[in-house]
Each structure stands twice: as structure tokens, then as C-alpha cells.
Amino acid sequence: MEEVKQIPQDIKSTSGNAEGKTYIRPSWDEYFLNLIEPIGSRGTCDRGRSGAVIVGPGHTIIATGYVGAAPGQPHCDQVGHMMNTVVREDGTQSQHCVRTLHAEENAILQCAKDGISVQGTTIYCKMVPCYNCAMRIVRVGIRRVVAQKRYHADQKSIKLFRDAEVNLVIMDNTIEEYTNQSAQKNQSVIDEDGFVSIKEILMEEGKKLDLNEIQQA
């Protein structure tokens, strides 16, 4: 019988390539952001199949949410969008689908339905939440928001988070694009608003940092 050799416990895991590089696990922020896409794939509005994850202080997932109509109502994928046109004070217009609940809103409502407190938690999002979702995030006591990208009309949300002392972390300072997006808020506006993303901080410093240690408001 062939002898079975035991692998020493102190040997580090490698990536399996020729260089034998040590495998580096994703940070907690990267880990939870990687769940956004598969969660969002359950969404029922093709303008943006967004997902959201609410995580407790101990890195425990409390709830997830995705874009979808309220129970008993038809979905956008079934009957089409329910578009509302919003006219701003300066005369510019944007269109919004109001048939669905947003991913962040659905995650928060799931906690409310199940009687779960979200005080002091973190919510992970595909992009900076819209103003309505941002108000709900502030109201229920979520203290940290981590977004993969910018939302084309997120200036009011960012100001709200700053005023409420909610820690906002944006990984990539580019706009998430989707159908019927307002043309008034383009990338140049985003670049000029003074918000610096985590990606830009890392590029400027030229080194890898623990994203969980970076505080950004």
C-alpha cells in the first residue's frame, strides 16, 4: 500500500502557476462586491439589474436585495417599463422607471419584514444609491455604504451621506451606464465634483492597500 504523506501545516497556499506566487484573498469589501452581480441577475428590470447586500459588523450577510416589482405586480420584463419623466428646476429632464423597488430598498424592506435591525451595518451596492434609497439608508441607521461605481445623479445622495456622517466608499469614479440615462450628468460633471474614489487613491499612492482600512466620507 502506498504511504500517504501529510502536508505540513505551515506551507502557504500558492496560485498554482509557474512562479508559485502566494494566493491573496480578496478584501471583505471586494468579497461582498463580487456578490452584487449574481444577486442582481435576479432583477426584473433590464434598465439596471442591480443587487445589494447588507452586512453586519461581524462580516455576516444579513439580507440581499435586487431590482423588482412589488409582490403581486407585473415585472418590467413581462409588461415593459413604467416611465416617469422628471423635470428639474433648470429645465433638464430625466426618465425613471417607477415599476420596481430598488435593490437597496428591497434589502432594507426585507430586514423590516423579518424584524432584523440594520443599525451600524454596511450596505454594498452596484452604484451610489439614488436619493430616495439614500434617505432610507440614513433613516434605518446603516453607517457605511460601499458602491462599485457612481450614479449619474448622485450628488444629492453624497451630500446626504456626508451630512448624516455615513461613511461612503466608491471603488471606481466612473458612471454606471444604463438605458434612458440622463445625458445631463456626464463623466465630466462627475470628475469635477471633487469626490475621489478608492481606485484613484490606490493609483495615486502606487500600492495595494487594505480597502477595509480606508475611511472615505
Side-chain angles (χ1 to χ4, degrees), residues 19 30 60 83 102 119 134 159 168 170 177 189 197 206:
E19 294 81 8
E30 292 168 328
T60 300
M83 302 300 295
H102 289 187
Q119 184 73 35
K159 183 180 185 304
L168 173 63
I170 299 176
E177 297 182 356
V189 175
S197 69

Side-chain angles (χ1 to χ4, degrees), residues 1 5 10 15 22 24 29 38 74 81 98 117 123 135 138 180 199 207:
M1 181 180 296
K5 295 182 179 180
D10 59 350
S15 61
T22 301
I24 300 175
D29 283 349
H81 303 295
V98 296
S117 172
I123 187 166
M135 286 192 293
V138 171
N180 290 329
K199 181 179 179 181
K207 60 182 180 180

Side-chain angles (χ1 to χ4, degrees), residues 187-213:
Q187 188 63 46
S188 63
V189 175
I190 293 297
D191 292 338
E192 293 172 1
D193 68 6
F195 195 95
V196 181
S197 69
I198 291 297
K199 181 179 179 181
E200 291 166 320
I201 291 174
L202 296 178
M203 289 176 63
E204 182 177 345
E205 298 191 1
K207 60 182 180 180
K208 176 73 176 179
L209 297 177
D210 184 352
L211 301 181
N212 296 312
E213 295 181 355

Side-chain angles (χ1 to χ4, degrees), residues 147-150 170-175 197-200:
Q148 186 65 55
K149 287 188 176 184
R150 296 288 298 267
I170 299 176
M171 308 303 288
D172 187 343
N173 209 30
T174 57
I175 301 172
S197 69
I198 291 297
K199 181 179 179 181
E200 291 166 320

Side-chain angles (χ1 to χ4, degrees), residues 71-199:
Q73 299 301 307
H75 295 289
C76 293
D77 288 345
Q78 298 172 320
V79 297
H81 303 295
M82 184 185 295
M83 302 300 295
N84 274 11
T85 300
V86 176
V87 181
R88 302 185 182 89
E89 292 181 357
D90 61 2
T92 60
Q93 299 182 8
S94 63
Q95 288 189 307
H96 301 267
C97 179
V98 296
R99 185 180 300 282
T100 62
L101 294 163
H102 289 187
E104 301 88 345
E105 189 174 20
N106 261 328
I108 291 171
L109 289 173
Q110 185 63 51
C111 290
K113 178 182 176 182
D114 295 341
I116 301 173
S117 172
V118 295
Q119 184 73 35
T121 60
T122 297
I123 187 166
Y124 292 85
C125 320
K126 186 175 183 179
M127 55 186 139
V128 176
C130 72
Y131 188 64
N132 284 333
C133 286
M135 286 192 293
R136 287 155 176 75
I137 288 169
V138 171
R139 177 64 184 86
V140 297
I142 294 174
R143 301 307 303 164
R144 189 166 181 261
V145 178
V146 181
Q148 186 65 55
K149 287 188 176 184
R150 296 288 298 267
Y151 172 52
H152 72 275
D154 62 10
Q155 284 77 13
K156 289 175 65 178
S157 297
I158 290 175
K159 183 180 185 304
L160 176 63
F161 289 143
R162 284 174 172 165
D163 291 344
E165 298 183 350
V166 172
N167 181 23
L168 173 63
V169 176
I170 299 176
M171 308 303 288
D172 187 343
N173 209 30
T174 57
I175 301 172
E176 179 68 29
E177 297 182 356
Y178 55 88
T179 306
N180 290 329
Q181 182 173 310
S182 170
Q184 303 300 322
K185 298 295 183 182
N186 53 34
Q187 188 63 46
S188 63
V189 175
I190 293 297
D191 292 338
E192 293 172 1
D193 68 6
F195 195 95
V196 181
S197 69
I198 291 297
K199 181 179 179 181

